[in-house]
Amino acid sequence: MVNRSSRTSDNSFLPAHVLRDRLDAREISSAELASSTFQRISTTDSQLNAVLRTTEPEANSAAEDADRRLRGSGPEPGPLTGIPVLLKDNMSMTGVETTAASKILSGYVPPYDAEVVTRLKEAGAVIVGKSNLDEFAMGSSNEHSAFGAAKNPWDVARVPGGSSGGAAAAVAAGEAVIALGSDTGGSIRQPAALCGVVGMKPTYGLVSRYGLIAFASSLDQIGPITRDVQDCADTLNVIASHDPKDSTSVERPFDDFGGKIGQDIDGMRLGVPKEYLVDGIEPGVRSAFEDSLEVLRSLGASIEETSLPLTDQALAVYYIIAPSEASANLSRYDGVKYGAAAEDGLNAAELSQHTRGELFGDEVKRRILIGTYALSAGYYDAYYKKAQQVRTLIRQEFTEGFEQFDALVTPTSPTVAFEAGARMDDPYQMYLADVCTLPVNIAGLPGISVPCGFSEEMPVGLQFIGPQFGDDTVLQVAHSYEQATDWHRSHPPL
Amino acid sequence: MESLTSDELRHVATLANLHLTDDEVEKYRHQLTGILAHVQSLQQVDTDGVEPTGHATASNTVLRKDDSSTPLNREDVLENAPTTSGEFIRVRAVLD
């Protein structure tokens, strides 16, 4: 086990539920927590570039409100009252610049709150700023940000993963207690794994996408990045809702997502789909994964190998469906209604073409082109429709798997964080970083990544996948594993 | 699979409303050819009679009542437009 510095006297690395106890005990105030968060960001973020902008005035005012609420005035405080939270910069917040890390949206100030922001504010959370990401959430390394790459706090020469790389790096480095990310093909779970924190993509439709800058609407889902599993459940309880403003938001009664946390997993049936132990898996990741299976066995879970043969097709399905939806969603950026625009002297059509050509980054243009090609006359059936049909078969394969198993367990990423620049010249190599996470989005399932060891002194993540609406089961098994290990207590020597 | 030609790539860029430089046309032509070759593997999957999936959680068309509600503040919305004129967003000439 890698020995890491421990600063228990410092609040920087404590989970929200522990900080809430300290807030209740009046050992610390929310205003002090906010202030120490900004202090931490100002001392560490010059090395990480995880935070694109902070929101001191809004945060200080929210922290004062939270302190009053904690002292008994106003609505009953909840688990997130007074807790510093960072938003991935593709979530709209009234009056705060929101760019999706794209030049085309630089200067854009949303006139409304995303539904998750409304819910965080109501819960008394203290929003401290906006985190870096790959432009429009398209990427697996955070190197496709128009505002500079974010770095991995365990080794700043390596990537933090993506696209929620800034969010994961910030939570790992003690710059925020909780961050909200979005996950279209692994964009919460993969960076959480690479930075050694917890990240969860809930079942599709549990969390409203209203106010989330759209990438691929049938796959996008907002979820928490936290320091432990309990915080993940508490955050999901706050942000999940049926929202009439998002027509894909599911209408069903929500129980406590953490309701099964603490129940033992003796007798739980866990499947290991062999296709996830791909050829490209690093030996250190494989060995951490195998050690994790031993831990799960020792907790009484039964573990069996299984097969999901269509896993090999998931990457192809994803790289047709996601770019196709993106090409449609991003057609709204035309240099007319909001954001930045190309120079003067152009007519309307040229203005739009030049704005998009000059202000979208390389990966965004690449995906728009792939998607436009796949949707164009003569190719629609061969690409988009075919991918949607294989999507049906992948869903069926998972459904059959969950007749035998309560949850599936896999590595989150086949590798630890790679060196910055290593995959920038080969888009397909970059896409392979999400090979273990994107089938979960295709099928709309809940998935969580928890820290499970180190390889090359870099964190390794363990993924649990549940059936649709089995979010509570996924949190239960992840919590059980986490509590039997110490990996989540490690933090980078920054 | 055959390589995309420059003309094909330019056609896709036109459909996508993207102005590309000649260097970009060359780069994306090669990269798209590579990516499309990878996704050809889907053609091996038998999908006869399989319904396509649009969204993973079954959802029907959702309708709402036609009630009025408070719209966004006009000044805040106009503030975001690159060029405005009074209460309007200014658009460049559509016809020369």
Side-chain angles (χ1 to χ4, degrees):
Chain A
M1 176 170 169
V2 179
N3 199 10
R4 291 292 169 186
S5 58
S6 178
R7 306 183 202 181
T8 44
S9 60
D10 185 345
N11 289 318
S12 293
F13 296 99
L14 293 174
H17 60 93
V18 174
L19 290 169
R20 272 295 278 112
D21 292 343
R22 295 194 177 185
L23 285 166
D24 273 342
R26 308 266 176 102
E27 291 168 18
I28 188 169
S29 71
S30 175
E32 286 163 350
L33 259 186
S35 152
S36 62
T37 299
F38 292 125
Q39 184 60 44
R40 178 81 186 158
I41 291 172
S42 76
T43 54
T44 52
D45 206 58
S46 55
Q47 298 170 67
L48 299 179
N49 197 28
V51 177
L52 290 179
R53 74 196 63 83
T54 52
T55 50
E56 271 102 334
E58 291 87 350
N60 291 337
S61 150
E64 282 171 24
D65 288 348
D67 280 329
R68 277 194 289 275
R69 195 162 159 181
L70 290 160
R71 292 193 195 96
S73 113
E76 184 79 6
L80 300 195
T81 307
I83 300 297
V85 177
L86 199 56
L87 295 175
K88 184 177 181 178
D89 197 32
N90 58 355
M91 295 174 207
S92 307
M93 179 170 170
T94 308
V96 177
E97 188 184 5
T98 300
T99 65
S102 182
K103 282 185 199 162
I104 211 162
L105 273 176
S106 78
Y108 170 64
V109 179
Y112 68 101
D113 280 336
E115 182 63 16
V116 289
V117 172
T118 303
R119 299 193 62 84
L120 284 174
K121 286 179 175 175
E122 282 173 8
V126 177
I127 297 169
V128 291
K130 307 299 280 303
S131 63
N132 205 348
L133 65 151
D134 288 291
E135 183 177 0
F136 285 104
M138 297 178 191
S140 308
S141 68
N142 211 134
E143 291 168 289
H144 291 298
S145 166
F147 306 116
K151 311 286 169 56
N152 193 308
W154 293 92
D155 175 358
V156 293
R158 300 192 192 221
V159 303
S163 65
S164 312
V171 172
E175 295 180 357
V177 183
I178 292 168
L180 291 193
S182 63
D183 190 316
T184 304
S187 279
I188 288 173
R189 292 160 287 153
Q190 184 257 16
L194 270 43
C195 291
V197 292
V198 176
M200 179 173 184
K201 185 202 88 73
T203 297
Y204 181 81
L206 274 191
V207 181
S208 170
R209 294 178 295 107
Y210 178 76
L212 171 71
I213 294 174
F215 160 17
S217 302
S218 80
L219 304 163
D220 296 344
Q221 186 63 189
I222 295 172
I225 295 176
T226 59
R227 294 179 186 157
D228 70 12
V229 175
Q230 181 65 54
D231 278 5
C232 200
D234 290 342
T235 308
L236 188 54
N237 279 333
V238 167
I239 61 174
S241 69
H242 170 61
D243 179 11
K245 298 187 295 305
D246 173 1
S247 64
T248 60
S249 156
V250 291
E251 193 165 10
R252 52 187 279 143
F254 297 114
D255 297 328
D256 174 9
F257 291 103
K260 290 188 186 168
I261 280 182
Q263 290 178 20
D264 70 43
I265 60 165
D266 190 22
M268 190 178 267
R269 302 161 305 164
L270 298 177
V272 178
K274 63 180 183 194
E275 291 80 6
Y276 283 69
L277 302 171
V278 288
D279 293 340
I281 191 169
E282 287 173 352
V285 172
R286 181 184 283 271
S287 115
F289 178 68
E290 281 164 3
D291 291 348
S292 307
L293 296 183
E294 279 312 308
V295 172
L296 290 162
R297 277 195 194 95
S298 75
L299 294 167
S302 76
I303 292 178
E304 259 181 72
E305 186 181 279
T306 184
S307 176
L308 298 171
L310 285 171
T311 302
D312 294 341
Q313 301 292 347
L315 193 71
V317 169
Y318 183 84
Y319 277 98
I320 294 171
I321 290 178
S324 295
E325 294 184 7
S327 73
N329 274 326
L330 271 61
S331 65
R332 73 191 67 183
Y333 303 103
D334 56 4
V336 173
K337 299 183 289 293
Y338 35 64
E343 296 299 309
D344 275 344
L346 302 165
N347 68 27
E350 291 165 349
L351 170 78
S352 172
Q353 290 159 7
H354 281 263
T355 297
R356 294 163 62 79
E358 289 162 24
L359 300 180
F360 279 142
D362 181 54
E363 180 63 20
V364 172
K365 284 192 268 194
R366 189 156 39 242
R367 294 205 197 184
I368 288 174
L369 291 167
I370 297 168
T372 305
Y373 181 85
L375 292 175
S376 63
Y379 297 104
Y380 181 90
D381 281 358
Y383 289 100
Y384 190 63
K385 188 178 171 202
K386 184 80 181 179
Q388 286 194 314
Q389 287 175 310
V390 179
R391 185 176 188 181
T392 303
L393 297 175
I394 290 173
R395 284 178 65 201
Q396 284 172 0
E397 203 170 79
F398 272 114
T399 305
E400 286 160 20
F402 287 117
E403 286 165 9
Q404 279 182 71
F405 299 104
D406 299 303
L408 302 172
V409 54
T410 78
T412 309
S413 160
T415 69
V416 294
F418 42 92
E419 301 275 333
R423 301 191 185 193
M424 283 297 271
D425 294 332
D426 187 345
Y428 197 76
Q429 278 303 309
M430 188 71 93
Y431 299 169
L432 285 173
D434 293 330
V435 71
C436 296
T437 47
L438 51 82
V440 177
N441 299 72
I442 289 170
L445 308 174
I448 192 169
S449 178
V450 291
C452 76
F454 288 86
S455 170
E456 303 171 28
E457 301 201 7
M458 296 301 291
V460 178
L462 181 68
Q463 178 176 238
F464 295 98
I465 305 168
Q468 264 185 12
F469 305 110
D471 301 70
D472 53 352
T473 302
V474 160
L475 285 159
Q476 175 197 2
V477 62
H479 184 264
S480 190
Y481 171 81
E482 173 192 80
Q483 294 302 306
T485 61
D486 272 328
W487 305 116
H488 64 292
R489 292 185 217 283
S490 306
H491 46 75
L494 198 69
Chain B
M1 170 166 179
E2 288 178 33
S3 283
L4 284 177
T5 65
S6 304
D7 283 348
E8 284 171 321
L9 198 282
R10 278 182 213 281
H11 173 65
V12 176
T14 304
L15 293 175
N17 220 5
L18 276 177
H19 178 266
L20 299 180
T21 64
D22 290 346
D23 287 350
E24 285 180 317
V25 169
E26 260 320 276
K27 178 178 70 177
Y28 291 135
R29 183 170 82 79
H30 287 292
Q31 290 180 339
L32 254 66
T33 299
I35 292 163
L36 292 170
H38 282 295
V39 303
Q40 290 305 317
S41 65
L42 286 185
Q43 304 307 328
Q44 299 158 11
V45 183
D46 180 2
T47 53
D48 266 4
V50 176
E51 285 295 313
T53 292
H55 279 262
T57 41
S59 62
N60 304 314
T61 302
V62 180
L63 301 174
R64 66 166 174 83
K65 284 194 183 143
D66 189 18
D67 293 336
S68 63
S69 59
T70 315
L72 298 173
N73 180 292
R74 183 186 297 169
E75 286 74 36
D76 293 344
V77 173
L78 285 172
E79 194 72 23
N80 277 305
T83 48
T84 54
S85 174
E87 294 179 347
F88 301 99
I89 290 173
R90 197 181 173 88
V91 183
R92 310 273 172 93
V94 176
L95 299 170
D96 286 320

